[in-house]
Amino acid sequence: MEPCSVSTALERLPFNNTALRRLPVEDSEETGSRTVPAACFSRIRALQPLVRPTVVAQSPSALSLLDLTEQDVLSDPLSPEYLSGSRLLPGSEPAAHCYSGHQFGLFAGQLGDGAVVYLGEVESGTHGRWEIQVKGAGVTPYSRDGDGRKVLRSSIREFLCSEAMAALGIPSTRAASLVTSDLYVNRDPLNSGRRVPERCSVVLRLAPSFIRFGSFEIFQGRDDFSGLQGPSAGRHDIRAQLLDYVIETFYPCVQQTHGNRKERNLAFFREVMVRTAKLVAQWQCVGFCHGVLNTDNMSILGLTLDYGPFGFMDRFDPDFVCNASDKRGRYSYQAQPFVCRWNLARLAEALGSELEAAQAGAVLDEFTLTYEAFYLGIMRKKLGLVRREELEDSELVSDLLRLMHNTGADFTNTFRLLSRVPWPEEGDSEGATAGPAVDLILQQCASVEELKVANKPTMEDRELAMILSMAQTNPVMFGMVADTPGVSQQLERMGRLKGLLETDQGELKEKQREDWIRWVSRYRRRLAMECDGTTDLSLVKKERLSVMNSTNPRVVLRNYIAQNSIQAAEKGDFSEVGRTIKVFSFFCKISM
């Protein structure tokens, strides 16, 4: 009798693929890209294996969500194939999710998982239910003209940022492993027209669900502007099915507390609004910018989803854009809250008759105040203002950000250094007492030459010359044009640049120091209000430092950190990727 083979931890993952049982699934023999009507998923019939796949990085904390360890992966000779979608995990059912979306403000029709394969849902005894996906696993019905593959550099960025965000305490999809291979595809990494071969790689992603706003847009009728429609336009029965599944599975409290369907749906929409407002507030407070904030990249659970172009700011700039193709700054740092509200309005439209339009509008009207409350709450913690809430706090924060912008201060480092500002004592001389902390801040502010570069207008020279000419020839028209956000931003840049051209480095540093002393003095006066005289001052001081140090991260995933990992990995050294994951796990365990 042949001995029984012992299954591995990966082979024993307890799959319970609820989504495929609850939602319509296309089960077709047809291959290639196609329109998929009346379905939320399409089964993937044939696996598309990588050539000699190798596991090159793991996230222990993400693996633990599946009750797995690094050793479980390392000891399984088939783990590179399982974790890349090259071999079927027992109990998994490969499929691709159908969704639509508004991209850069225009409805794009059917989109879907063009490079992602759903493997199934694992019921962890310790950590609940997790959907598993492999990103970069090959062609799906939604690949359009793509090959369904992802390369090493983009896979490393997604792997690192997913785990960095989670370490920062910001809701995010997770990345458990990174597999690369000897299969190559041609890409143009510099957008220079020169394509080069790059290694195909796969990230194993986890989330309770990857359903997004765009999942509900497949039911959209023909759009007036783009002329496109969702693949399941008019199928309100399937829309109701998807909505029931999402609420019953992921919003059980909403389901249990509302017997009336319309009331339930409105409560769900409000909860999605609140989660989205909180998420974008958390992004803003660590200087994170999502480069492709389309409706198809907005999680229905309020998670950070799909790490294509993204960026953490270095020097604070409200106009920071991390996507080279976003020429008009639709998804700039300061626009992100507005865009999230806009995307919520598209979700309300997609839900259609499942919501009362007036009630949905009232929920949308709550977004800005909800966002601002979350944002100011976090900002107070970043400043160590934990005992009292004062009306002046909002202005204190906005003036700080304006000063950071004007002086080219580093966003992350400045907030970290503010904990060095001494507590106000009676008889203090502001300049002498606050001086050492201000000097530390000034060390990482921009030079006059750096500020000149940062404030150079980004508008094309010809367009800018036309507007300036208008100021002379048609002042009325110029006044109207100058009030538009894009033009006023460019004029502000020109104003700052003019001042900088008339300033030398010594004058700049002197002014920067004066401005920072002035703001720090205000900050210290506000700190003094934290102690009402009845509380032990030493406890208040200790609490301030504890909250500031736990809310202001010491490190974020700056572009150069990700790039160092990529460059080393492309030479075969993956230790930098692993080291980066360990750094975030150690330094960024904060509560926001």
Side-chain angles (χ1 to χ4, degrees):
M1 180 180 292
E2 292 185 7
C4 295
S5 60
V6 178
S7 61
T8 64
L10 282 170
E11 292 166 341
R12 293 192 300 272
L13 285 173
F15 280 94
N16 182 9
N17 306 327
T18 312
L20 300 188
R21 292 198 306 273
R22 293 281 307 274
L23 300 171
V25 180
E26 183 211 42
D27 198 354
S28 172
E29 299 287 345
E30 188 178 349
T31 60
S33 297
R34 58 189 181 273
T35 300
V36 179
C40 295
F41 287 89
S42 297
R43 290 196 184 275
I44 303 299
R45 290 284 181 180
L47 298 178
Q48 299 157 67
L50 295 176
V51 177
R52 289 181 288 280
T54 305
V55 178
V56 292
Q58 301 176 60
S59 166
S61 65
L63 285 171
S64 71
L65 299 173
L66 303 176
D67 296 329
L68 293 173
T69 66
E70 286 184 279
Q71 190 56 37
D72 290 332
V73 173
L74 294 173
S75 63
D76 188 338
L78 296 178
S79 64
E81 295 175 68
Y82 284 141
L83 298 177
S84 64
S86 300
R87 180 185 289 264
L88 201 61
L89 276 163
S92 64
E93 300 179 73
H97 181 38
C98 182
Y99 53 82
S100 294
H102 281 76
Q103 299 192 321
F104 287 88
L106 289 176
F107 185 64
Q110 177 180 291
L111 298 169
D113 285 336
V116 172
V117 174
Y118 159 105
L119 295 182
E121 298 147 68
V122 170
E123 297 277 4
S124 162
T126 311
H127 302 286
R129 171 187 180 280
W130 291 89
E131 180 180 325
I132 304 178
Q133 294 185 341
V134 276
K135 184 170 184 176
V139 173
T140 77
Y142 311 105
S143 297
R144 299 184 292 284
D145 297 326
D147 54 26
R149 296 299 186 184
K150 296 295 178 183
V151 297
L152 185 58
R153 57 187 163 81
S154 62
S155 299
I156 288 175
R157 284 177 63 82
E158 169 130 7
F159 178 75
L160 290 179
C161 200
S162 299
E163 295 309 283
M165 292 294 268
L168 287 168
I170 297 175
S172 174
T173 59
R174 302 298 300 272
S177 64
L178 172 64
V179 174
T180 193
S181 72
D182 288 338
L183 179 66
Y184 288 80
V185 289
N186 291 322
R187 294 288 189 267
D188 180 9
L190 302 177
N191 295 316
S192 62
R194 180 171 172 266
R195 295 169 70 82
V196 296
E198 297 191 65
R199 288 183 185 273
C200 292
S201 303
V202 172
V203 174
L204 186 80
R205 305 199 303 182
L206 315 176
S209 175
F210 286 86
I211 291 174
R212 53 204 70 202
F213 290 12
S215 303
F216 290 91
E217 292 185 284
I218 65 172
F219 313 108
Q220 193 101 332
R222 194 164 300 282
D223 182 75
D224 291 338
F225 293 99
S226 69
L228 300 173
Q229 66 179 32
S232 298
R235 290 300 303 267
H236 298 166
D237 56 328
I238 301 177
R239 182 178 67 190
Q241 196 175 346
L242 175 60
L243 184 59
D244 288 345
Y245 168 72
V246 168
I247 296 175
E248 290 167 12
T249 308
F250 305 107
Y251 292 86
C253 289
V254 170
Q255 178 68 27
Q256 291 161 13
T257 53
H258 295 278
N260 178 279
R261 182 177 184 85
K262 285 286 180 70
E263 290 177 0
R264 180 202 71 166
N265 295 349
L266 185 67
F268 157 72
F269 183 60
R270 176 174 282 108
E271 181 61 24
V272 174
M273 180 276 290
V274 170
R275 292 190 189 190
T276 303
K278 183 176 182 180
L279 178 67
V280 70
Q282 290 175 295
W283 289 350
Q284 296 272 289
C285 290
V286 293
F288 174 80
C289 198
H290 195 303
V292 197
L293 204 50
N294 301 324
T295 56
D296 54 293
N297 291 333
M298 295 284 293
S299 163
I300 205 70
L301 303 183
L303 308 174
T304 313
L305 174 67
D306 282 352
Y307 294 93
F310 68 82
F312 286 87
M313 280 191 294
D314 294 323
R315 302 195 188 282
F316 177 72
D317 180 1
D319 300 320
F320 173 66
V321 174
C322 59
N323 183 350
S325 63
D326 186 7
K327 301 298 184 185
R328 296 194 173 274
R330 177 180 176 83
Y331 298 142
S332 70
Y333 170 82
Q334 67 177 343
Q336 304 246 312
F338 165 79
V339 169
C340 285
R341 185 196 181 282
W342 192 91
N343 288 341
L344 282 162
R346 305 291 76 75
L347 174 61
E349 288 176 358
L351 291 171
S353 60
E354 293 287 354
L355 296 172
E356 293 290 350
Q359 293 177 331
V363 170
L364 287 171
D365 288 342
E366 297 172 18
F367 176 84
T368 300
L369 287 177
T370 304
Y371 159 75
E372 288 175 350
F374 281 127
Y375 174 80
L376 187 55
I378 299 171
M379 279 295 182
R380 283 192 175 107
K381 290 182 179 179
K382 291 176 78 68
L383 295 178
L385 307 176
V386 294
R387 297 264 171 158
R388 298 169 64 100
E389 295 181 2
E390 298 292 337
L391 290 176
E392 69 186 66
D393 293 347
S394 180
E395 186 178 355
L396 186 69
V397 170
S398 59
D399 286 349
L400 169 62
L401 295 178
R402 190 178 300 111
L403 179 57
M404 287 169 65
H405 186 211
N406 290 340
T407 60
D410 185 275
F411 186 88
T412 303
N413 292 347
T414 298
F415 277 107
R416 192 78 189 176
L417 288 170
L418 287 177
S419 63
R420 305 281 192 95
V421 172
W423 191 271
E425 305 289 350
E426 192 172 343
D428 275 350
S429 166
E430 286 294 351
T433 308
V438 167
D439 289 338
L440 287 172
I441 293 171
L442 288 172
Q443 286 174 17
Q444 44 85 59
C445 287
S447 68
V448 67
E449 294 304 321
E450 289 170 325
L451 286 173
K452 286 177 185 177
V453 172
N455 285 286
K456 184 179 179 182
T458 55
M459 187 178 283
E460 290 185 10
D461 291 344
R462 184 177 60 179
E463 198 174 353
L464 193 59
M466 185 175 67
I467 291 170
L468 294 176
S469 174
M470 190 186 298
Q472 302 295 322
T473 59
N474 193 338
V476 175
M477 180 64 73
F478 173 76
M480 295 169 62
V481 171
D483 283 340
T484 60
V487 175
S488 65
Q489 176 195 106
Q490 298 300 316
L491 294 175
E492 286 172 11
R493 282 175 171 266
M494 289 182 63
R496 289 194 295 268
L497 181 59
K498 182 176 183 296
L500 289 165
L501 290 171
E502 299 168 352
T503 304
D504 63 29
Q505 182 66 21
E507 292 172 331
L508 177 73
K509 284 302 175 186
E510 184 178 344
K511 183 178 187 311
Q512 287 182 342
R513 194 172 198 282
E514 290 173 357
D515 290 344
W516 274 105
I517 289 286
R518 190 176 302 114
W519 184 87
V520 167
S521 298
R522 284 176 59 198
Y523 171 50
R524 296 180 74 223
R525 289 195 295 272
R526 172 62 183 86
L527 281 176
M529 299 168 67
E530 289 289 284
C531 192
D532 58 9
T534 62
T535 311
D536 185 339
L537 180 58
S538 64
L539 290 178
V540 177
K541 290 180 178 180
K542 185 176 180 180
E543 183 181 18
R544 173 214 171 197
L545 294 180
S546 174
V547 169
M548 290 183 77
N549 288 333
S550 66
T551 310
N552 294 314
R554 187 177 302 183
V555 60
V556 294
L557 187 63
R558 297 178 189 266
N559 190 57
Y560 82 87
I561 296 176
Q563 198 58 34
N564 286 346
S565 296
I566 291 167
Q567 289 174 350
E570 287 179 335
K571 296 174 183 176
D573 178 7
F574 292 92
S575 62
E576 194 68 25
V577 177
R579 187 157 42 245
T580 301
I581 287 290
K582 288 178 181 176
V583 164
F584 279 103
S585 297
F586 181 76
F587 283 121
C588 298
K589 292 186 181 302
I590 67 173
S591 157
M592 296 184 74

